[in-house]
Amino acid sequence: MLVSLAGCVHSPQTGGGSPADADARVQQDHERVAWRSKVSELLRTPEGGEPWQPFLLPGKRFADFELVAGADKPVLSVQADRSVSILRRRFAEAIPAVGHIDFSWKVDGLPDGANLSDVDLGDAPVRILLSFDGDRSKWSARNHRLSDMSRLLTGEELPYATLMYVWSTNDAADSVVVNPRTDRIRKVVVESGAAQVGRWRQYRRDVHADFLRAFGEEPGPLRAVALMTDTDNTRSRLRAWYGPMSLAAR
């Protein structure tokens, strides 16, 4: 359940301290503003969203997203080490409909023994997550219980439906994998196996068509989009890079 977009946002503490500490905090704030500006240039989404923010899950190690030099512009990189790293943007008002998404990524390895269908091994080196609103009255009692537990542990309900684009260790490309804990999270495999490890991969996907195929229903309004690299279950180490992404409203 916690590999959905539910989680706790980490906020640095502010308050007292020496003038030097205050100067350091101001410098960090300025750097953060510049960082967010560059990330917004790299990861383009419809207007009206909150800034891109790192996202911590309770009890999970977090590896930070860093801006590093790319071929034409900075790209995001994360050094995963038995960790879960999420970078998320929520929309103040849900986007009624989205069209295509273009994205790119690269990895230097795959999680050892990962299996997206196994609750204890469900790691992936790179993911794009899209969370949608919908009619929760359609949910099973199990999904309502999971959502209540998510709210208790993380402060947020389980999204109505989450569509993920993933690089799988062993599932066939273009297959759909249902999350073993809740069928409200479904994963479209856009890359499989180690053949393309070390190379930049670029994709263009029709979000509407992929959601229909994965869930068998029309997508509701889009509430959030996120990047995610996780190796906590397999206790693996790898580096992932995220290049330009563009998500457009329909």
Side-chain angles (χ1 to χ4, degrees):
M1 173 187 62
L2 292 180
V3 298
S4 72
L5 289 182
C8 291
V9 176
H10 173 70
S11 298
Q13 293 182 347
T14 58
S18 69
D21 290 338
D23 289 343
R25 284 198 299 271
V26 169
Q27 180 64 27
Q28 289 172 356
D29 288 344
H30 285 190
E31 290 174 354
R32 197 67 183 170
V33 169
W35 186 88
R36 285 177 172 174
S37 176
K38 290 178 181 178
V39 170
S40 292
E41 273 186 43
L42 181 70
L43 308 174
R44 296 186 176 276
T45 66
E47 296 295 328
E50 298 175 357
W52 286 91
Q53 296 182 357
F55 201 76
L56 300 188
L57 295 180
K60 298 293 185 180
R61 178 184 297 188
F62 179 84
D64 206 1
F65 290 85
E66 303 173 289
L67 280 166
V68 301
D72 301 318
K73 62 174 66 176
V75 299
L76 284 167
S77 178
V78 56
Q79 176 64 64
D81 183 3
R82 299 165 292 168
S83 53
V84 178
S85 299
I86 300 174
L87 188 68
R88 182 180 75 167
R89 188 178 194 194
R90 292 191 293 183
F91 299 101
E93 295 185 8
I95 308 302
V98 292
H100 288 85
I101 184 170
D102 297 274
F103 60 96
S104 57
W105 56 35
K106 181 175 76 168
V107 301
D108 69 359
L110 302 178
D112 301 326
N115 183 344
L116 293 176
S117 298
D118 188 325
V119 71
D120 295 319
L121 297 171
D123 289 340
V126 278
R127 310 180 192 232
I128 304 290
L129 290 71
L130 301 170
S131 282
F132 298 85
D133 279 341
D135 182 1
R136 293 168 183 263
S137 68
K138 299 177 181 178
W139 275 8
S140 66
R142 173 183 172 80
N143 283 327
H144 281 291
R145 289 194 300 271
L146 287 172
S147 187
D148 289 343
M149 188 181 299
S150 176
R151 184 172 59 248
L152 179 66
L153 293 174
T154 71
E156 295 186 17
E157 294 181 322
L158 195 70
Y160 171 75
T162 298
L163 180 70
M164 296 186 184
Y165 295 109
V166 302
W167 188 326
S168 172
T169 299
N170 48 29
D171 296 288
D174 216 33
S175 62
V176 175
V177 180
V178 178
N179 185 282
R181 283 191 174 166
T182 171
D183 61 358
R184 304 318 300 164
I185 301 173
R186 304 194 182 192
K187 309 157 194 176
V188 177
V189 178
V190 296
E191 197 72 52
S192 180
Q196 301 300 326
V197 165
R199 300 176 182 174
W200 277 103
R201 304 295 292 156
Q202 297 185 348
Y203 312 89
R204 180 175 176 81
R205 303 293 305 196
D206 182 331
V207 175
H208 181 265
D210 284 336
F211 190 98
L212 270 176
R213 184 164 68 93
F215 287 94
E217 61 181 281
E218 289 285 334
L222 180 71
R223 179 57 69 183
V225 57
L227 316 180
M228 180 176 176
T229 291
D230 61 311
T231 63
D232 59 317
N233 289 327
T234 58
R235 304 184 66 77
S236 302
R237 296 185 77 252
L238 58 88
R239 183 169 286 276
W241 294 262
Y242 293 87
M245 185 191 81
S246 177
L247 176 65
R250 289 179 68 191

Short mmCIF file of all heavy atoms in Angstrom, two decimals, residues 171-220:
data_model
loop_
_atom_site.label_atom_id
_atom_site.label_comp_id
_atom_site.label_asym_id
_atom_site.label_seq_id
_atom_site.Cartn_x
_atom_site.Cartn_y
_atom_site.Cartn_z
N ASP A 171 9.06 -9.03 -16.01
CA ASP A 171 7.75 -9.07 -16.66
C ASP A 171 7.88 -8.63 -18.12
O ASP A 171 8.69 -7.77 -18.46
CB ASP A 171 6.78 -8.15 -15.93
CG ASP A 171 6.50 -8.61 -14.52
OD1 ASP A 171 5.80 -9.62 -14.36
OD2 ASP A 171 7.01 -7.97 -13.58
N ALA A 172 7.04 -9.20 -18.97
CA ALA A 172 7.11 -8.89 -20.41
C ALA A 172 6.78 -7.42 -20.67
O ALA A 172 5.90 -6.84 -20.02
CB ALA A 172 6.14 -9.79 -21.17
N ALA A 173 7.48 -6.85 -21.63
CA ALA A 173 7.21 -5.47 -22.02
C ALA A 173 5.77 -5.34 -22.49
O ALA A 173 5.24 -6.22 -23.18
CB ALA A 173 8.17 -5.04 -23.12
N ASP A 174 5.12 -4.25 -22.09
CA ASP A 174 3.74 -3.90 -22.42
C ASP A 174 2.72 -4.74 -21.67
O ASP A 174 1.53 -4.65 -21.95
CB ASP A 174 3.47 -3.96 -23.92
CG ASP A 174 2.51 -2.85 -24.36
OD1 ASP A 174 2.56 -1.75 -23.75
OD2 ASP A 174 1.70 -3.08 -25.26
N SER A 175 3.17 -5.55 -20.72
CA SER A 175 2.22 -6.27 -19.88
C SER A 175 1.73 -5.34 -18.76
O SER A 175 2.33 -4.29 -18.49
CB SER A 175 2.86 -7.53 -19.28
OG SER A 175 3.96 -7.20 -18.45
N VAL A 176 0.63 -5.73 -18.12
CA VAL A 176 0.06 -4.98 -17.00
C VAL A 176 0.15 -5.87 -15.76
O VAL A 176 -0.32 -7.01 -15.75
CB VAL A 176 -1.40 -4.57 -17.26
CG1 VAL A 176 -2.00 -3.90 -16.02
CG2 VAL A 176 -1.49 -3.65 -18.47
N VAL A 177 0.76 -5.34 -14.70
CA VAL A 177 0.92 -6.08 -13.45
C VAL A 177 0.06 -5.41 -12.38
O VAL A 177 0.19 -4.21 -12.13
CB VAL A 177 2.39 -6.10 -12.99
CG1 VAL A 177 2.53 -6.89 -11.69
CG2 VAL A 177 3.29 -6.68 -14.08
N VAL A 178 -0.83 -6.18 -11.77
CA VAL A 178 -1.69 -5.67 -10.70
C VAL A 178 -0.93 -5.76 -9.38
O VAL A 178 -0.34 -6.79 -9.07
CB VAL A 178 -3.01 -6.46 -10.61
CG1 VAL A 178 -3.88 -5.94 -9.48
CG2 VAL A 178 -3.76 -6.38 -11.94
N ASN A 179 -0.96 -4.68 -8.62
CA ASN A 179 -0.29 -4.68 -7.33
C ASN A 179 -0.85 -5.80 -6.45
O ASN A 179 -2.07 -5.99 -6.38
CB ASN A 179 -0.51 -3.32 -6.64
CG ASN A 179 0.26 -3.18 -5.35
OD1 ASN A 179 -0.14 -3.72 -4.33
ND2 ASN A 179 1.35 -2.45 -5.40
N PRO A 180 0.02 -6.57 -5.79
CA PRO A 180 -0.48 -7.73 -5.03
C PRO A 180 -1.29 -7.35 -3.80
O PRO A 180 -2.01 -8.19 -3.27
CB PRO A 180 0.81 -8.47 -4.64
CG PRO A 180 1.89 -7.45 -4.72
CD PRO A 180 1.49 -6.51 -5.81
N ARG A 181 -1.22 -6.10 -3.32
CA ARG A 181 -1.98 -5.70 -2.14
C ARG A 181 -3.30 -5.02 -2.47
O ARG A 181 -4.25 -5.11 -1.72
CB ARG A 181 -1.14 -4.79 -1.25
CG ARG A 181 -0.11 -5.57 -0.45
CD ARG A 181 0.55 -4.73 0.60
NE ARG A 181 1.42 -5.55 1.43
CZ ARG A 181 2.32 -5.07 2.25
NH1 ARG A 181 2.49 -3.77 2.36
NH2 ARG A 181 3.07 -5.89 2.98
N THR A 182 -3.32 -4.28 -3.57
CA THR A 182 -4.57 -3.61 -3.96
C THR A 182 -4.65 -3.50 -5.48
O THR A 182 -3.67 -3.13 -6.13
CB THR A 182 -4.67 -2.20 -3.35
OG1 THR A 182 -5.79 -1.51 -3.93
CG2 THR A 182 -3.42 -1.38 -3.58
N ASP A 183 -5.82 -3.82 -6.02
CA ASP A 183 -6.00 -3.73 -7.47
C ASP A 183 -6.18 -2.28 -7.94
O ASP A 183 -6.37 -2.04 -9.12
CB ASP A 183 -7.18 -4.59 -7.93
CG ASP A 183 -8.51 -4.14 -7.31
OD1 ASP A 183 -8.53 -3.19 -6.50
OD2 ASP A 183 -9.54 -4.76 -7.64
N ARG A 184 -6.11 -1.32 -7.01
CA ARG A 184 -6.20 0.10 -7.39
C ARG A 184 -4.85 0.66 -7.81
O ARG A 184 -4.73 1.85 -8.11
CB ARG A 184 -6.79 0.93 -6.24
CG ARG A 184 -8.15 0.47 -5.77
CD ARG A 184 -9.08 0.08 -6.89
NE ARG A 184 -9.33 1.19 -7.81
CZ ARG A 184 -9.83 1.05 -9.03
NH1 ARG A 184 -10.11 -0.15 -9.52
NH2 ARG A 184 -10.04 2.11 -9.78
N ILE A 185 -3.81 -0.17 -7.82
CA ILE A 185 -2.51 0.20 -8.36
C ILE A 185 -2.16 -0.81 -9.44
O ILE A 185 -2.08 -2.02 -9.16
CB ILE A 185 -1.42 0.20 -7.27
CG1 ILE A 185 -1.76 1.19 -6.15
CG2 ILE A 185 -0.06 0.55 -7.87
CD1 ILE A 185 -0.81 1.13 -4.96
N ARG A 186 -1.97 -0.33 -10.66
CA ARG A 186 -1.64 -1.22 -11.78
C ARG A 186 -0.46 -0.65 -12.55
O ARG A 186 -0.35 0.55 -12.74
CB ARG A 186 -2.86 -1.44 -12.67
CG ARG A 186 -4.04 -1.97 -11.85
CD ARG A 186 -5.16 -2.51 -12.66
NE ARG A 186 -6.25 -2.93 -11.78
CZ ARG A 186 -7.29 -3.66 -12.16
NH1 ARG A 186 -7.41 -4.05 -13.42
NH2 ARG A 186 -8.23 -4.00 -11.30
N LYS A 187 0.42 -1.55 -12.98
CA LYS A 187 1.71 -1.16 -13.54
C LYS A 187 1.81 -1.59 -15.00
O LYS A 187 1.63 -2.78 -15.31
CB LYS A 187 2.84 -1.79 -12.73
CG LYS A 187 2.70 -1.55 -11.24
CD LYS A 187 3.44 -2.60 -10.41
CE LYS A 187 3.01 -2.54 -8.96
NZ LYS A 187 3.61 -3.59 -8.14
N VAL A 188 2.09 -0.64 -15.86
CA VAL A 188 2.34 -0.93 -17.28
C VAL A 188 3.85 -1.04 -17.47
O VAL A 188 4.59 -0.08 -17.18
CB VAL A 188 1.77 0.17 -18.19
CG1 VAL A 188 2.11 -0.11 -19.65
CG2 VAL A 188 0.25 0.28 -18.01
N VAL A 189 4.30 -2.19 -17.91
CA VAL A 189 5.74 -2.43 -18.09
C VAL A 189 6.16 -1.84 -19.44
O VAL A 189 5.72 -2.30 -20.49
CB VAL A 189 6.05 -3.94 -18.04
CG1 VAL A 189 7.53 -4.18 -18.29
CG2 VAL A 189 5.62 -4.53 -16.70
N VAL A 190 7.00 -0.82 -19.39
CA VAL A 190 7.48 -0.20 -20.63
C VAL A 190 8.89 -0.63 -20.99
O VAL A 190 9.36 -0.41 -22.11
CB VAL A 190 7.40 1.34 -20.56
CG1 VAL A 190 5.96 1.80 -20.42
CG2 VAL A 190 8.24 1.90 -19.42
N GLU A 191 9.59 -1.25 -20.04
CA GLU A 191 10.94 -1.79 -20.29
C GLU A 191 11.11 -3.02 -19.43
O GLU A 191 10.62 -3.07 -18.29
CB GLU A 191 12.01 -0.75 -19.96
CG GLU A 191 13.37 -1.03 -20.56
CD GLU A 191 13.40 -0.81 -22.06
OE1 GLU A 191 12.99 0.28 -22.51
OE2 GLU A 191 13.83 -1.73 -22.79
N SER A 192 11.78 -4.05 -19.96
CA SER A 192 11.93 -5.30 -19.24
C SER A 192 13.34 -5.85 -19.39
O SER A 192 13.91 -5.81 -20.48
CB SER A 192 10.92 -6.33 -19.73
OG SER A 192 11.06 -7.56 -19.03
N GLY A 193 13.87 -6.38 -18.31
CA GLY A 193 15.16 -7.05 -18.37
C GLY A 193 16.33 -6.09 -18.43
O GLY A 193 16.19 -4.87 -18.39
N ALA A 194 17.53 -6.68 -18.56
CA ALA A 194 18.77 -5.92 -18.44
C ALA A 194 19.38 -5.50 -19.77
O ALA A 194 20.44 -4.85 -19.78
CB ALA A 194 19.79 -6.77 -17.67
N ALA A 195 18.73 -5.81 -20.90
CA ALA A 195 19.36 -5.55 -22.20
C ALA A 195 19.67 -4.07 -22.42
O ALA A 195 20.66 -3.73 -23.08
CB ALA A 195 18.45 -6.06 -23.33
N GLN A 196 18.83 -3.18 -21.87
CA GLN A 196 19.02 -1.74 -22.11
C GLN A 196 19.62 -1.01 -20.90
O GLN A 196 19.64 0.23 -20.88
CB GLN A 196 17.67 -1.11 -22.47
CG GLN A 196 17.01 -1.70 -23.70
CD GLN A 196 17.87 -1.55 -24.95
OE1 GLN A 196 18.59 -0.57 -25.10
NE2 GLN A 196 17.79 -2.53 -25.83
N VAL A 197 20.11 -1.75 -19.92
CA VAL A 197 20.76 -1.12 -18.78
C VAL A 197 21.95 -0.29 -19.25
O VAL A 197 22.73 -0.73 -20.11
CB VAL A 197 21.21 -2.19 -17.76
CG1 VAL A 197 22.21 -1.61 -16.76
CG2 VAL A 197 20.00 -2.75 -17.02
N GLY A 198 22.09 0.91 -18.72
CA GLY A 198 23.18 1.80 -19.10
C GLY A 198 22.89 2.70 -20.28
O GLY A 198 23.73 3.52 -20.65
N ARG A 199 21.69 2.59 -20.84
CA ARG A 199 21.33 3.41 -22.01
C ARG A 199 20.10 4.26 -21.68
O ARG A 199 19.19 3.81 -20.98
CB ARG A 199 20.99 2.52 -23.22
CG ARG A 199 22.12 1.61 -23.65
CD ARG A 199 21.67 0.69 -24.78
NE ARG A 199 22.73 -0.22 -25.19
CZ ARG A 199 22.58 -1.20 -26.04
NH1 ARG A 199 21.37 -1.42 -26.59
NH2 ARG A 199 23.58 -1.99 -26.37
N TRP A 200 20.10 5.47 -22.22
CA TRP A 200 18.90 6.30 -22.10
C TRP A 200 17.77 5.69 -22.90
O TRP A 200 17.97 5.28 -24.05
CB TRP A 200 19.17 7.72 -22.59
CG TRP A 200 19.81 8.58 -21.55
CD1 TRP A 200 21.12 8.95 -21.47
CD2 TRP A 200 19.15 9.18 -20.42
NE1 TRP A 200 21.33 9.73 -20.36
CE2 TRP A 200 20.15 9.89 -19.70
CE3 TRP A 200 17.84 9.17 -19.93
CZ2 TRP A 200 19.86 10.60 -18.53
CZ3 TRP A 200 17.55 9.87 -18.78
CH2 TRP A 200 18.54 10.57 -18.09
N ARG A 201 16.59 5.63 -22.30
CA ARG A 201 15.40 5.11 -22.96
C ARG A 201 14.34 6.20 -22.97
O ARG A 201 14.11 6.86 -21.95
CB ARG A 201 14.88 3.87 -22.24
CG ARG A 201 15.92 2.77 -22.08
CD ARG A 201 16.34 2.20 -23.41
NE ARG A 201 15.23 1.47 -24.04
CZ ARG A 201 15.12 1.25 -25.35
NH1 ARG A 201 16.00 1.79 -26.20
NH2 ARG A 201 14.11 0.55 -25.81
N GLN A 202 13.68 6.39 -24.10
CA GLN A 202 12.66 7.42 -24.24
C GLN A 202 11.34 6.78 -24.63
O GLN A 202 11.31 5.81 -25.40
CB GLN A 202 13.07 8.45 -25.29
CG GLN A 202 14.34 9.21 -24.92
CD GLN A 202 14.67 10.30 -25.92
OE1 GLN A 202 14.10 10.37 -27.00
NE2 GLN A 202 15.60 11.16 -25.54
N TYR A 203 10.24 7.35 -24.11
CA TYR A 203 8.92 6.75 -24.31
C TYR A 203 7.89 7.84 -24.57
O TYR A 203 8.01 8.97 -24.09
CB TYR A 203 8.48 5.97 -23.06
CG TYR A 203 9.53 5.03 -22.52
CD1 TYR A 203 10.46 5.49 -21.59
CD2 TYR A 203 9.61 3.71 -22.95
CE1 TYR A 203 11.43 4.64 -21.09
CE2 TYR A 203 10.58 2.85 -22.46
CZ TYR A 203 11.49 3.33 -21.54
OH TYR A 203 12.47 2.49 -21.05
N ARG A 204 6.86 7.45 -25.31
CA ARG A 204 5.67 8.28 -25.48
C ARG A 204 4.47 7.37 -25.29
O ARG A 204 4.31 6.39 -26.02
CB ARG A 204 5.65 8.94 -26.86
CG ARG A 204 4.41 9.83 -27.11
CD ARG A 204 4.53 10.53 -28.46
NE ARG A 204 3.35 11.31 -28.78
CZ ARG A 204 3.08 12.53 -28.33
NH1 ARG A 204 3.93 13.13 -27.51
NH2 ARG A 204 1.99 13.18 -28.69
N ARG A 205 3.63 7.68 -24.30
CA ARG A 205 2.51 6.82 -23.97
C ARG A 205 1.22 7.63 -23.99
O ARG A 205 1.17 8.79 -23.60
CB ARG A 205 2.68 6.21 -22.57
CG ARG A 205 3.96 5.42 -22.35
CD ARG A 205 4.04 4.16 -23.15
NE ARG A 205 2.91 3.26 -22.94
CZ ARG A 205 2.92 1.97 -23.29
NH1 ARG A 205 4.01 1.43 -23.85
NH2 ARG A 205 1.85 1.23 -23.09
N ASP A 206 0.15 6.95 -24.43
CA ASP A 206 -1.19 7.51 -24.40
C ASP A 206 -1.81 7.14 -23.05
O ASP A 206 -2.20 5.99 -22.83
CB ASP A 206 -2.01 6.92 -25.56
CG ASP A 206 -3.41 7.50 -25.65
OD1 ASP A 206 -3.96 7.90 -24.61
OD2 ASP A 206 -3.97 7.53 -26.77
N VAL A 207 -1.86 8.09 -22.13
CA VAL A 207 -2.31 7.81 -20.77
C VAL A 207 -3.74 7.29 -20.76
O VAL A 207 -4.07 6.33 -20.05
CB VAL A 207 -2.18 9.06 -19.89
CG1 VAL A 207 -2.75 8.80 -18.49
CG2 VAL A 207 -0.72 9.50 -19.79
N HIS A 208 -4.61 7.91 -21.54
CA HIS A 208 -6.02 7.49 -21.58
C HIS A 208 -6.14 6.03 -22.02
O HIS A 208 -6.83 5.22 -21.37
CB HIS A 208 -6.80 8.40 -22.53
CG HIS A 208 -8.25 8.08 -22.63
ND1 HIS A 208 -8.75 7.26 -23.63
CD2 HIS A 208 -9.32 8.44 -21.88
CE1 HIS A 208 -10.06 7.15 -23.48
NE2 HIS A 208 -10.43 7.84 -22.43
N ALA A 209 -5.44 5.68 -23.10
CA ALA A 209 -5.51 4.30 -23.60
C ALA A 209 -4.90 3.32 -22.61
O ALA A 209 -5.43 2.21 -22.40
CB ALA A 209 -4.79 4.20 -24.94
N ASP A 210 -3.78 3.69 -21.98
CA ASP A 210 -3.15 2.79 -21.02
C ASP A 210 -4.02 2.58 -19.78
O ASP A 210 -4.09 1.47 -19.25
CB ASP A 210 -1.78 3.35 -20.62
CG ASP A 210 -0.73 3.15 -21.70
OD1 ASP A 210 -0.88 2.23 -22.52
OD2 ASP A 210 0.24 3.93 -21.72
N PHE A 211 -4.68 3.64 -19.32
CA PHE A 211 -5.57 3.50 -18.16
C PHE A 211 -6.74 2.59 -18.49
O PHE A 211 -7.10 1.71 -17.70
CB PHE A 211 -6.06 4.87 -17.70
CG PHE A 211 -6.78 4.84 -16.38
CD1 PHE A 211 -6.12 5.18 -15.21
CD2 PHE A 211 -8.12 4.48 -16.29
CE1 PHE A 211 -6.77 5.14 -13.98
CE2 PHE A 211 -8.78 4.45 -15.08
CZ PHE A 211 -8.11 4.78 -13.91
N LEU A 212 -7.34 2.80 -19.67
CA LEU A 212 -8.46 1.94 -20.09
C LEU A 212 -8.05 0.47 -20.12
O LEU A 212 -8.78 -0.40 -19.65
CB LEU A 212 -8.94 2.36 -21.47
CG LEU A 212 -10.03 3.42 -21.56
CD1 LEU A 212 -10.29 3.77 -23.02
CD2 LEU A 212 -11.32 2.93 -20.90
N ARG A 213 -6.89 0.20 -20.67
CA ARG A 213 -6.43 -1.18 -20.78
C ARG A 213 -6.11 -1.76 -19.40
O ARG A 213 -6.41 -2.92 -19.12
CB ARG A 213 -5.19 -1.25 -21.67
CG ARG A 213 -4.70 -2.67 -21.93
CD ARG A 213 -3.75 -2.70 -23.11
NE ARG A 213 -2.50 -2.01 -22.81
CZ ARG A 213 -1.41 -2.62 -22.32
NH1 ARG A 213 -1.44 -3.92 -22.09
NH2 ARG A 213 -0.31 -1.95 -22.10
N ALA A 214 -5.51 -0.95 -18.52
CA ALA A 214 -5.09 -1.45 -17.22
C ALA A 214 -6.27 -1.65 -16.28
O ALA A 214 -6.33 -2.66 -15.56
CB ALA A 214 -4.07 -0.50 -16.60
N PHE A 215 -7.23 -0.70 -16.27
CA PHE A 215 -8.31 -0.73 -15.29
C PHE A 215 -9.67 -1.12 -15.88
O PHE A 215 -10.59 -1.41 -15.12
CB PHE A 215 -8.43 0.63 -14.61
CG PHE A 215 -7.33 0.92 -13.63
CD1 PHE A 215 -6.20 1.62 -14.01
CD2 PHE A 215 -7.42 0.48 -12.31
CE1 PHE A 215 -5.18 1.89 -13.10
CE2 PHE A 215 -6.41 0.75 -11.40
CZ PHE A 215 -5.29 1.45 -11.80
N GLY A 216 -9.82 -1.08 -17.20
CA GLY A 216 -11.10 -1.43 -17.81
C GLY A 216 -12.18 -0.40 -17.58
O GLY A 216 -13.37 -0.72 -17.62
N GLU A 217 -11.79 0.85 -17.32
CA GLU A 217 -12.75 1.94 -17.13
C GLU A 217 -12.10 3.24 -17.55
O GLU A 217 -10.87 3.32 -17.74
CB GLU A 217 -13.17 2.03 -15.66
CG GLU A 217 -12.03 2.31 -14.70
CD GLU A 217 -12.49 2.38 -13.25
OE1 GLU A 217 -13.05 3.43 -12.87
OE2 GLU A 217 -12.27 1.39 -12.52
N GLU A 218 -12.91 4.28 -17.70
CA GLU A 218 -12.39 5.59 -18.07
C GLU A 218 -11.62 6.20 -16.90
O GLU A 218 -12.03 6.04 -15.74
CB GLU A 218 -13.54 6.53 -18.45
CG GLU A 218 -14.22 6.19 -19.76
CD GLU A 218 -13.38 6.60 -20.97
OE1 GLU A 218 -12.55 7.53 -20.83
OE2 GLU A 218 -13.57 5.98 -22.03
N PRO A 219 -10.51 6.88 -17.16
CA PRO A 219 -9.79 7.54 -16.07
C PRO A 219 -10.55 8.75 -15.55
O PRO A 219 -11.20 9.47 -16.31
CB PRO A 219 -8.48 7.96 -16.72
CG PRO A 219 -8.79 8.09 -18.19
CD PRO A 219 -9.83 7.05 -18.47
N GLY A 220 -10.48 8.97 -14.25
CA GLY A 220 -11.04 10.18 -13.66
C GLY A 220 -10.03 11.31 -13.76
O GLY A 220 -9.00 11.20 -14.44
#
